[in-house]
Amino acid sequence: MRVCVVARLSNIMAEYLKVNPDYQDRVKELFENDTKPEITLEFEIEEHDFINSGKGSAELKLTIKRLGVDPAIMRRIAIAAYEAEINIAAHSRGGAMRSNIFPDYVHIVFKDMGPGIDDLEQAMTPGFSTAIDLVREMGFGAGLGLPNIERNADIMKLDSEKNKSTQLDVIVFFQ
Amino acid sequence: MTLRELAVKLEGEILTPDVNLDTEVPCAFSSDLISDILMCTKESTLLLTGLTNPQVIRLSDMIDLVGIIFVRGKKPNAELIEMAVERGLPLISTSNTMYMSSGILYHAGLRSCKIK
Ligand SMILES: Nc1ncnc2c1ncn2[C@@H]1O[C@H](COP(=O)(O)OP(=O)(O)O)[C@@H](O)[C@H]1O
Ligand SMILES: [Mg+2]
């Protein structure tokens, strides 16, 4: 899978984009898609709420299962979504996930209320983590969440800056 | 080896007596890192862990766990056990350490789950 960086502001990357080459030609269309999804699911994620975080991903997985999506693909969707949900709970002031399910793919948008990511390249590095002890004690903070999302997504777009909200887009095709 | 047999080998306490313990366990993975567990379990897997927070049960909504062994005498609270029962997920607690528990099961023929 190829990684391409589409935007660089001074030395700081403002957007990190990873695209499975099979879908390279569709990226623009996918992000400009204004057709109505078949199903939309929405979940709020609160800061440090490790009781409810993950419910959104579990619900998304169940919904996709009912559509008859291949178990291996279902698993990739669940893992990417779960890591992203946990990141909102662990590292942000809270946010939401919205899953738009289309006939042949799912597009999940995670948006939080900041504080944003200083250095995207560093955040994407396996092993890098700023997780606090509370988060580490729960088994998170290995610095493998974003790399895990990248591995499981066909398209991943991470958009953030220091003192801004973070938006993560994850797209996975059903075929 | 079934979960029931494996619980005996670990001198474990079964925390979910009403959940089926007679299914064959194909393979196992030991870890206290959630991202590692997500990354490494691609098949139906028994998990050995020291984590006892609700996210360890939430994990089983994402990946295919056949059961969880809590090592080094760790015992989850009643709420967490209830979450597992709702999902039909067997839980066992053992006083053996992660290293000992893994060794005992490996020696008894339980293979490691495929990580690639
Ligand atoms: N939504 C977010 N808001 C702010 N920072 C984030 C967010 N998601 C990830 N990060 C930053 O990126 C780092 C790496 O994330 P990740 O790879 O998931 O590892 P981990 O969550 O284990 O720290 C985090 O430690 C954090 O500094
Ligand atoms: Mg993370």
Side-chain angles (χ1 to χ4, degrees), chain A residues 83-119:
Chain A
E83 289 279 18
E85 251 193 283
I86 292 300
N87 276 356
I88 292 182
H91 308 300
S92 88
R93 302 183 189 113
M97 90 184 253
R98 174 202 280 258
S99 310
N100 291 321
I101 304 174
F102 294 93
D104 55 337
Y105 68 93
V106 60
H107 182 165
I108 322 164
V109 183
F110 300 88
K111 200 169 168 76
D112 65 37
M113 297 183 282
I117 302 174
D118 220 347
D119 182 339

Side-chain angles (χ1 to χ4, degrees), chain A residues 45-101:
Chain A
I45 303 141
E46 277 174 43
E47 179 174 11
H48 295 164
D49 178 359
F50 292 105
I51 305 280
N52 294 302
S53 294
K55 278 190 181 166
S57 304
E59 188 63 36
L60 172 61
K61 189 181 173 191
L62 273 182
T63 306
I64 281 170
K65 190 175 181 179
R66 280 189 223 111
L67 301 175
V69 172
D70 173 74
I73 291 174
M74 227 163 62
R75 182 181 168 277
R76 281 174 44 211
I77 295 167
I79 291 177
Y82 178 65
E83 289 279 18
E85 251 193 283
I86 292 300
N87 276 356
I88 292 182
H91 308 300
S92 88
R93 302 183 189 113
M97 90 184 253
R98 174 202 280 258
S99 310
N100 291 321
I101 304 174

Side-chain angles (χ1 to χ4, degrees), chain A residues 50-55 57-58 61 75 78-79 82-83 86 137-140 142 144-145 148 151, chain B residues 32-43 51 53-55 58-64 79:
Chain A
F50 292 105
I51 305 280
N52 294 302
S53 294
K55 278 190 181 166
S57 304
K61 189 181 173 191
R75 182 181 168 277
I79 291 177
Y82 178 65
E83 289 279 18
I86 292 300
E137 278 157 22
M138 314 212 59
F140 302 107
L144 295 172
N148 216 356
R151 259 167 60 145
Chain B
D32 283 347
L33 293 173
I34 303 248
S35 287
D36 256 358
I37 300 165
L38 289 169
M39 216 176 255
C40 293
T41 48
K42 300 206 164 48
E43 49 184 336
L51 295 172
N53 72 76
Q55 289 299 325
R58 188 73 64 205
L59 257 182
S60 75
D61 294 340
M62 314 303 154
I63 56 173
D64 192 3
E79 251 165 278

